[in-house]
Amino acid sequence: MTGLALRQVRRGAVAVTVVAAGMSALVVATYDDVVGSAPGGAAALAALAGNPAVRTLFGDPVALDDPGGFAVWRTGTVLAVLVGVWAALATTRVLRGEEDTGRLDLLLGGVLPVAAVVRLHLAVLLGAVGVVGVATAAALVLAGAEPTGSVLHGAGMAAVGVAAIGLAGVASQVAPARAAASGLAVAVLLGGLLVRMVGDGVQALGWTRWLSPFGLVALVEPFHTDRVPPLLVLVAAGLAVVAVVPSLAGRRDVRAGLLPARPPRRARTALLSSPARFAVRQVLAPLAGWAAGIGAFFLLIGSVSRSMTDFLDANPVFADLAGQAGFAELGSVQGYAATLFALLAVPAGAFAAVRTGALGSAETGRRLDLLLAGPVTRTRLLAGHVAVTAAAAVVLTVVAGVALWVGAAAVGSPLGFGESLAGALNTLPVTALGLGAAVAALGLAPGAVVPIGLLPGAGGFLLTVVADSVGAPPWVVGVSPFAHLAAVPAVGPDLGGAAVMTVVAAALVVAGAVGYGRRDVR
């Protein structure tokens, strides 16, 4: 069982470790070139980063005059989210993935009870996030950062992973299936990120950071105050939650959750007459949850837009500094909206990848066998899924545009509704690439639908952050899809870049459809 758990998480653990350690080391190694050449140096950067809008995104600017402190501020939040989300998804996979498909039935009916299997899997997962923390700390030290801060930052990364494992472990025992457990765990984690952003952006609510894993990690302040108590609180809380997971597993039936089953009710036959209508029925509940989260985030972003533009108007010298720090076009509310809308392609692309992964899970769980044995062809099934998923992604994009406009209007920022909507819709080509990559994986590599679908959005964003942080050459920057998005509504759209990305996305969908039609089911 330990070997099985290792096989299930090893590739993801290696990838996350390389990204976390590599990004941290790169930022430290290039600190003098990036910050030293900036107007006013670290002091001017700290003044810019102290603005509520920037602080909301990246946290309090502490120790920016130290290479390690700058690396923590510039990449700490992004990497913590990466580690937390991966740990949560890996946990639900190893705790419920094999069980839900029935592949553990004979084993669990033998010498190993469910609680013992869960304990073994949790030990492997905790070891994996521990490796991420150790590798991150070692990379910082080797790159020249101060050892104490490096160890605390690496420990913070691992602590976020421990908390995510605990949340996902409990969700795996409570929820009736893996998909529901994954959604619940990731939703709680992202809710914690929003709490951290509110605490950093609104000083009066700074105490709320103690309620979030990401907030507790920020309170450690590596390379500055090096506070250990917040880290101990996070580790203790995470391990306490992890400790109850095996006992919860022993109280439920195999392939069932602790939540009571719904009582019998009349059959609901709406939206069951075609694959496309059934796809609509399946997407409505997840779409509501994703829309609520994305809408809340961009509402917050819009509500702090005035503070950023007023600050740069009063301090023009910081406009160039903002561009060097990765915040181009922040001098106007239109440029501010364009910069923040670029983030939208990450969750929208993730939504498309997760929904396509759900189709793959339905196939693996044998829920499509009778359907595909009847008059429904795979092409028709996939076409309905792709069309509905694309439409849902457009809905999420519109929600983001409307939410940012509402937030900006509430504080009197001069951002028109059409401008906000155009900025949001400008990111759709990158979202389309995520959907295309996921569909291609469904047909050609069905075991990696979600990771491959995340590459254009999440992977492209990580590449952009690294490239901006280390001053990478233009050809490296150009690999990311985000390099081909114009700063709409500050400027007009890049129609050529959007067209190329859309064509590539369509080609990926076609390749996936061909592969899906030619391969065996499951």
Side-chain angles (χ1 to χ4, degrees):
M1 290 307 303
T2 304
L4 173 63
L6 285 170
R7 286 184 60 180
Q8 289 180 306
V9 304
R10 61 185 178 184
R11 294 178 181 175
V14 169
V16 172
T17 301
V18 170
V19 171
M23 285 185 64
S24 302
L26 274 175
V27 176
V28 171
T30 58
Y31 173 79
D32 291 335
D33 295 333
V34 175
V35 178
S37 61
L45 181 60
L48 171 65
N51 182 269
V54 178
R55 194 169 63 237
T56 296
L57 289 175
F58 293 94
D60 280 339
V62 297
L64 296 188
D65 57 346
D66 182 277
F70 177 74
V72 171
W73 175 77
R74 189 69 177 87
T75 65
T77 298
V78 174
L79 294 179
V81 172
L82 172 67
V83 172
V85 171
W86 171 79
L89 295 178
T91 300
T92 57
R93 179 188 180 191
V94 301
L95 293 188
R96 290 300 297 269
E98 298 294 299
E99 179 184 323
D100 284 356
T101 56
R103 291 192 286 267
L104 291 185
D105 287 1
L106 291 178
L107 181 65
L108 295 177
V111 295
L112 282 179
V114 174
V117 173
V118 169
R119 279 192 291 268
L120 291 173
H121 284 172
L122 288 174
V124 171
L125 291 163
L126 292 173
V129 297
V131 169
V132 174
V134 170
T136 301
L140 285 170
V141 173
L142 292 175
E146 188 269 328
T148 301
S150 300
V151 170
L152 287 176
H153 181 55
M157 289 288 178
V160 171
V162 172
I165 290 171
L167 289 172
V170 172
S172 296
Q173 312 314 315
V174 172
R178 173 190 172 187
S182 298
L184 177 60
V186 172
V188 173
L189 276 177
L190 296 183
L193 177 61
L194 285 176
V195 170
R196 196 281 299 166
M197 295 174 70
V198 171
D200 284 328
V202 183
Q203 292 185 351
L205 298 176
W207 60 270
T208 59
R209 291 180 293 177
W210 287 89
L211 305 178
S212 163
F214 305 102
L216 286 168
V217 169
L219 289 170
V220 175
E221 296 185 347
F223 305 99
H224 183 53
T225 58
D226 293 333
R227 301 172 63 192
V228 176
L231 182 61
L232 295 179
V233 170
L234 179 56
V235 172
L239 290 177
V241 176
V242 169
V244 305
V245 174
S247 62
L248 292 178
R251 296 173 180 272
R252 65 175 178 85
D253 291 334
V254 176
R255 295 201 302 276
L258 291 174
L259 290 177
R262 293 179 178 179
R265 60 185 180 185
R266 295 181 59 185
R268 296 178 298 169
T269 59
L271 300 176
L272 291 180
S273 57
S274 71
R277 291 185 176 89
F278 183 57
V280 171
R281 173 173 169 148
Q282 289 182 305
V283 83
L284 289 177
L287 177 61
W290 283 77
I294 290 176
F297 174 80
F298 280 96
L299 182 64
L300 174 64
I301 293 300
S303 66
V304 298
S305 60
R306 188 64 179 266
S307 65
M308 171 58 74
T309 54
D310 288 349
F311 176 82
L312 292 179
D313 285 342
N315 302 273
V317 69
F318 289 115
D320 293 337
L321 183 61
Q324 294 189 36
F327 305 105
E329 304 289 345
L330 287 182
S332 66
V333 67
Q334 287 75 19
Y336 169 84
T339 302
L340 275 299
F341 272 135
L343 298 173
L344 175 59
V346 177
F351 171 82
V354 169
R355 294 312 307 160
T356 305
L359 181 61
S361 298
E363 177 186 342
T364 304
R366 302 188 175 187
R367 295 189 294 274
L368 299 181
D369 289 1
L370 292 178
L371 182 66
L372 293 176
V376 176
T377 64
R378 296 194 206 182
T379 301
R380 184 184 175 195
L381 177 67
L382 183 61
H385 169 83
V386 170
V388 171
T389 302
V394 172
V395 171
L396 289 179
T397 303
V398 172
V399 167
V402 173
L404 194 146
W405 172 76
V406 170
V411 295
S413 293
L415 180 67
F417 176 77
E419 291 177 321
S420 183
L421 195 59
L425 294 175
N426 181 60
T427 64
L428 282 177
V430 181
T431 303
L433 284 176
L435 176 59
V439 174
L442 181 67
L444 305 174
V449 175
V450 175
I452 293 177
L454 291 175
L455 284 178
F461 178 73
L462 287 174
L463 178 60
T464 300
V465 170
V466 173
D468 286 341
S469 300
V470 304
W475 68 268
V476 174
V477 178
V479 173
S480 171
F482 292 89
H484 308 286
L485 284 180
V488 179
V491 299
D494 182 355
L495 297 179
V500 170
M501 287 188 281
T502 303
V503 169
V504 171
L508 289 172
V509 170
V510 171
V514 172
Y516 189 57
R518 293 176 62 87
R519 68 171 174 82
D520 289 337
V521 176
R522 298 193 302 277

